[in-house]
Every structure is written in structure tokens, then in C-alpha cells.
Amino acid sequence: MTTAVRKRLEIRNAVPSDVRAIQRLIERAYPGMPGYSPATLRGQINNFPEGCFVALYDNKVVGYCATMRVSKAMAFSPHDWEEITANGFGTRHSAAGEWLYGYEMAVDPRQRGLRIGQRLYDERKELAEQLDLHGIVIAGRMPGYARAKRRVGSAQDYLDGVIAGKLRDPVLSFQLKNQFEPLGVLANYLPEDKLSGGNAAHLVWRNPYVDPDEAPEMRVPRGVESVRLATCQLQARAVEDFEGFVRNIEYFVDVAADYRSDFIIFPELFTLPLLSFETKKLSPAEAIDRLTTYTPRLTKELARMALEYNVNIIGGSHPTRTDDGDIQNVAYVALRDGSVHAQEKIHPTPNEAFWWNIKGGESLDVIQTDCGPIGVLICYDSEFPELARRLVDQGARMIFVPFCTDSRSGYMRVRYCCQARAIENQCYVIMSGNVGNLPNVDNMDIQYAQSCILTPCDLPFARDGIAAEASENVETLTIADVNLADLSWARAEGTVRNLRDRRFDLYHIEWDNNLANHSHTPSGGPVPAGGHNSPGGG
């Protein structure tokens, strides 16, 4: 009889659930440098999962490395860390890139004797060989330079001394031993790296199995990664009780499941019909307070339906009282694995703030699903381009926008902004709105909607950038198949390449870490924390 032996040391691809452990590892590995936010690490993994690896020793993360694919021009031209990594998110990864670029490597200082760094570099080399890439480019730290600067002179002189064997550097000597060739020094590559004086050694490893003189043929395969989306344009109607409201919602969940949809989205404030059976007239403040009492029952029902019907549900939005007593407009996302996630509306409209005293949220992050990471922007939030960009930097390829508008002009503001978000982020945007009216409910006098599924405007997609749309102001379910692989093609080889072509040498978006770490958590479910983007090492 054979006995199974458990592996003590394992190298595997990193997954989003590793983020917290990786964050702690980098804090140990680089105690004098700023750490990563969870959002940035999620972006690294989601943007190129095949290129991110963790080393586990006794099931604890003790090593991590991140890579992306880039063009030769990008890899070999002068650059700094922030510019080439898209402020750490790895969003400039290109599926057509012929070179691997390594931009993070961290090893637990308590486990240096296990050759974890060597093993991670071997994984990078194996990946380059499997993908028939020309090789690997890195910007290696030079942590011995600051101490030797007065004696040796410039960073280039220090690099030359290490190459000649006259000096030893704990990182650079290791990389040279691993067959990396020096190209020169990248000045001001990582200012936070004081030990290296902000400099990095520009290094290359060339794949021996690829002819360097052969012109690259790195066309992105037009594969199929199909996702079926359903958007519900919901008629506002009076109901007799909470159970009656749930039956109305469950009907559309059932239909979407019959069509084997992966997602169904409902409109913003889709729970307002719960006010229709109140026995007395409520003031706006009383009405919104009453709605918040349904939060636990609502999230329980959404979770039940997602499990029973095997469909991911974006539950529009619902007013929710947070732990500190404020009321926020929150979208609850129930996944078919049984989990429930919450995304708060960041920007309340003037109407929401005045009549209902709704406060804005402080956290915005992707939600991991079985179809990849997604984002949710509630109505007005879609009109702020920084928010969609943050979600896409974290790897979102689909952004769901539940909305509630009373006029055509209000609807068109949301519609035009959603189309812009799809184009500038090369992603899909799915809109869902209310129609009809609730005469006895404030803010539901009239509604205007034309729910739709929007695409980038490029060759693989619908001619007018609309995968499907509902008729105006009619209750219906609109369904369309989208191909996520088309987004990979567009980002790498499209007519325009908005994500990759951003000028990180001129600008980037910074998220306030202090606010994100003190966000108001809705009592109905967890909201992932956001964070500031901070560089690690090469």
C-alpha cells in the first residue's frame, strides 16, 4: 500500500484569494518600502493570471512574483516602474507582447535558504518557453549601491563592478548568475528604493529556443470565452407584501436561468415597491428608513435564488443603514456559489442627498466571479470615469450599471457615459433601469429606461457598439452573448488601445488609502476595502 506524501514546498499560479497573504509577505520582504494595496495585487493577478506565481511552504505564502507580456519597444526603451506597470496594476499587459516583463519578486526573509527566488525565476523562464516568447526583461534592484556610492561613483560604475566580479550585490549578483545580461542602468526607476538610490539594472534573459532574428508573429488568437448576460428592465408595481415583491423578482431570475444566463442585473432602487403597501403616508426620511429594515431578508433571498437557479444576480441597489448609522445606496451581488457581496454607491445624486440623506461610499473594488472579476457602478457613478478605470485596472472586463432615471435627458446622461466607459476601458457595460411608476412612493412618479448591453466600438463587436437593447419603457428581459476573448484581442491589437496607450509618465489615478481603510460597512454584507497603489521591487 502506498502512502500519499504531502508537499511541503509548492509553486503555483497566484489567485485572488492569495492577496492578503501576498500583501503580508511583501511587508516582510521590503520593510523599508511602501506596500501594495489589495486592489493593486488583484489587478496584477487578474490582468495576467498565468504570469503571477506564489511559493507556498507548509501552506504559507513565502514567495511571489508578477510578470506581464509587453512589446520589444516597451521592454527595451528607457522607463520607470510606475510607467511600465500602470502604477502597479499590470494593466499594460498585452496578449500580443513578445517579451515577458518581470516587475515584482518577493521572498520571505525567513525562508531564504530554500532557493525560492531561484524557483520563481525558473517558473518565469518555463512560461516564456511555453509561450514561445523571446525572453524576459527585468529591472533588478541594486541594494548595495547606496552604501558603496562614495567609493565606486555612479550607478553604472557600480553595475560594471558587479559584472566584473569586483563587487558583490545580493540581488544583482543572483540575477547575473541566472543568465540575465545587463543592458545598462534605468535611472530613477523606483525612487522609493533608497538602497538602490532609485536606480535599477536593466537586464534581459533570452529564450534559447526562439530565433532572435525571426520576425515575431504574435497574433492574439480569436478564441471564445462566452458569457451570457441578461438585463431586466423592471416595471415598478405595487405589491401586497415582501413575499409578493420576491415573486416578481424570482420570475425574471427563473427566466434568465431557463436561458442559461451567467448573470442577471436588476435596476437601481428596485426595492422601492416595498413601500407600496405601507398603510400611512411616509415622509422621504421615514420611507428610506423603512426600506433599510428589509436588508437582511433581501440579501438572504438573493443568495437563495442565485444558488437555486445557478445564476449570478446583480441585485440592483437597495438603501442600507451602515454600522455607523448612515444610509447608503448599496448593490448586493449574489453569486451562484452562495456568497453575497456589496458595492456602495460612491456618488449620491443631489436628489438622493437632499431627500433621503444618502451618504456616499468610500470603497470600490472588483468582485471575483466564476466568469472573472466584475465591477458595479450604480447609476451616477458611471458618470465619473475614474471609477470605471479603477475597476478595469483590477481586471474587470464587465461593468454592471443599475440605474434609475425619471426623464430621457437623465437616461441619456447615463447611457452616453456608459458607452464612453466601454470604449475607453475596452470592456462591456451592462445597464438595467426601472420603468413605470409608483404613485404613492416619492421619487417614483415617472421612470424612463432603455436597458442595454454595450461594447467597445471596434471590429469584433457590434457595428454601433450595442450588443443588445430593450425597447423603451417596456418591462422585458434582454439577453446577449458576449465574448470576453474579443476584449483581449482589442486591447492587444485593436484599432485603438486605450488601456495600453495611457501616458503613465504624465498622469495616473491615486486612490485614498486612508478613506478606504475606514469605509462604512453596510450591515447587510461585506464591502472589500480599496487602497493606495505602492510599488514593490522588480
Side-chain angles (χ1 to χ4, degrees):
M1 184 178 73
T2 58
T3 303
V5 179
R6 180 176 64 86
K7 293 181 182 178
R8 295 196 66 189
L9 181 60
E10 176 189 6
I11 309 291
R12 62 162 170 78
N13 285 110
V15 294
S17 59
D18 294 322
V19 161
R20 292 294 184 184
I22 295 170
Q23 196 177 23
R24 291 191 291 268
L25 163 70
I26 290 175
E27 290 172 356
R28 295 194 300 272
Y30 300 109
M33 296 173 65
Y36 283 118
S37 71
T40 312
L41 290 171
R42 277 193 294 270
Q44 293 177 9
I45 296 169
N46 286 328
N47 284 312
F48 187 36
E50 298 90 342
C52 295
F53 299 94
V54 288
L56 293 95
Y57 184 66
D58 288 340
N59 290 322
K60 295 181 180 179
V61 173
V62 295
Y64 171 68
C65 71
T67 64
M68 59 184 178
R69 289 175 64 167
V70 298
S71 66
K72 180 179 180 180
M74 185 177 291
F76 286 87
S77 62
H79 59 268
D80 61 33
W81 183 90
E82 185 175 285
E83 175 187 356
I84 199 164
T85 68
N87 200 26
F89 285 96
T91 320
R92 302 189 79 180
H93 162 75
S94 169
E98 64 267 34
W99 288 85
L100 268 188
Y101 187 90
Y103 60 95
E104 183 56 77
M105 174 71 72
V107 175
D108 193 323
R110 300 171 299 188
Q111 305 294 346
R112 302 255 185 213
L114 297 177
R115 299 183 184 271
I116 291 168
Q118 177 71 63
R119 296 169 193 260
L120 291 171
Y121 271 102
D122 289 345
E123 290 291 338
R124 281 178 170 174
K125 291 177 180 179
E126 184 176 339
L127 178 63
E129 293 171 2
Q130 288 174 350
L131 298 175
D132 288 327
L133 303 183
H134 281 212
I136 304 170
V137 175
I138 61 174
R141 298 182 65 232
M142 307 162 63
Y145 172 61
R147 181 177 296 179
K149 183 177 180 179
R150 287 188 178 182
R151 178 164 48 94
V152 302
S154 70
Q156 184 64 54
D157 292 334
Y158 179 80
L159 174 59
D160 292 339
V162 176
I163 295 170
K166 298 177 181 178
L167 299 170
R168 176 167 175 78
D169 183 277
V171 175
L172 185 53
S173 298
F174 168 77
Q175 291 160 338
L176 294 175
K177 185 179 178 181
N178 273 277
Q179 303 170 319
F180 278 86
E181 306 168 17
L183 300 172
V185 172
L186 293 170
N188 203 35
Y189 178 78
L190 193 63
E192 292 85 350
D193 186 3
K194 304 301 182 185
L195 294 178
S196 303
N199 302 290
H202 203 182
L203 303 166
V204 60
W205 173 83
R206 303 180 190 278
N207 184 355
Y209 301 107
V210 173
D211 184 352
D213 299 322
E214 184 178 332
E217 188 66 31
M218 302 304 297
R219 305 295 294 180
V220 177
R222 292 286 298 279
V224 177
E225 196 177 344
S226 183
V227 174
R228 182 161 293 176
L229 304 168
T231 174
C232 179
Q233 188 157 282
L234 187 66
Q235 172 81 36
R237 55 168 60 84
V239 294
E240 294 182 356
D241 49 28
F242 179 80
E243 289 71 23
F245 167 78
V246 170
R247 283 194 296 271
N248 291 340
I249 300 304
E250 189 163 1
Y251 169 80
F252 286 105
V253 172
D254 188 5
V255 174
D258 283 346
Y259 279 89
R260 302 186 68 82
S261 300
D262 295 294
F263 294 89
I264 179 173
I265 174 176
F266 289 95
E268 180 186 22
L269 297 174
F270 78 131
T271 56
L272 280 175
L274 292 171
L275 297 174
S276 63
F277 57 85
E278 290 295 324
T279 56
K280 68 172 185 175
K281 177 69 174 178
L282 301 177
S283 69
E286 290 172 330
I288 210 69
D289 188 65
R290 176 65 176 144
L291 271 181
T292 65
T293 65
Y294 290 103
T295 302
R297 296 170 70 186
L298 174 68
T299 55
K300 181 179 179 181
E301 288 296 332
L302 290 175
R304 175 188 64 80
M305 288 185 277
L307 272 173
E308 289 184 7
Y309 291 96
N310 191 32
V311 61
N312 299 306
I313 302 172
I314 288 79
S317 77
H318 172 72
T320 298
R321 189 171 297 283
T322 61
D323 292 338
D324 61 5
D326 287 340
I327 295 177
Q328 291 183 345
N329 193 357
V330 179
Y332 290 101
V333 178
L335 303 182
R336 48 190 171 193
D337 64 6
S339 62
V340 178
H341 305 259
Q343 177 56 63
E344 59 217 31
K345 189 174 185 177
I346 304 298
H347 302 91
T349 62
N351 188 288
E352 288 175 288
F354 179 79
W355 289 107
W356 291 334
N357 198 30
I358 287 180
K359 305 296 184 183
E362 295 167 355
S363 177
L364 182 75
D365 289 289
V366 295
I367 297 168
Q368 301 292 150
T369 77
D370 56 351
C371 298
I374 66 166
V376 177
L377 295 176
I378 303 173
C379 197
Y380 194 29
D381 282 346
S382 67
E383 300 178 29
F384 295 82
E386 304 90 344
L387 300 188
R389 178 104 334 144
R390 174 174 170 81
L391 293 171
V392 172
D393 274 342
Q394 292 185 50
R397 293 183 288 178
M398 296 175 285
I399 297 178
F400 293 86
V401 180
F403 69 93
C404 182
T405 52
D406 60 348
S407 65
R408 178 173 170 80
S409 59
Y411 164 74
M412 295 310 297
R413 283 195 301 271
V414 180
R415 170 68 175 261
Y416 286 144
C417 288
C418 285
Q419 187 72 74
R421 303 296 86 84
I423 292 170
E424 67 200 12
N425 294 293
Q426 297 178 291
C427 66
Y428 297 112
V429 179
I430 305 95
M431 299 176 62
S432 170
N434 299 290
V435 298
N437 58 76
L438 287 171
N440 297 321
V441 177
D442 288 321
N443 270 3
M444 288 294 282
D445 302 319
I446 55 173
Q447 299 301 311
Y448 188 100
Q450 188 173 20
S451 304
C452 55
I453 298 167
L454 303 172
T455 76
C457 293
D458 209 339
L459 297 177
F461 308 103
R463 184 190 67 175
D464 50 5
I466 305 169
E469 64 181 338
S471 298
E472 298 166 282
N473 298 327
V474 174
E475 184 174 62
T476 188
L477 195 68
T478 302
I479 299 175
D481 287 335
V482 298
N483 185 8
L484 299 181
D486 284 342
L487 298 177
S488 300
W489 179 91
R491 293 175 179 184
E493 300 192 61
T495 308
V496 292
R497 301 157 196 180
N498 306 67
L499 285 184
R500 199 175 74 188
D501 290 344
R502 284 180 286 170
R503 291 288 303 275
F504 281 90
D505 56 326
L506 296 178
Y507 62 87
H508 69 259
I509 296 170
E510 202 74 57
W511 194 263
D512 194 317
N513 192 41
N514 293 323
L515 281 178
N517 286 340
H518 296 88
S519 60
H520 305 267
T521 304
S523 57
V527 178
H532 172 277
N533 314 323
S534 300

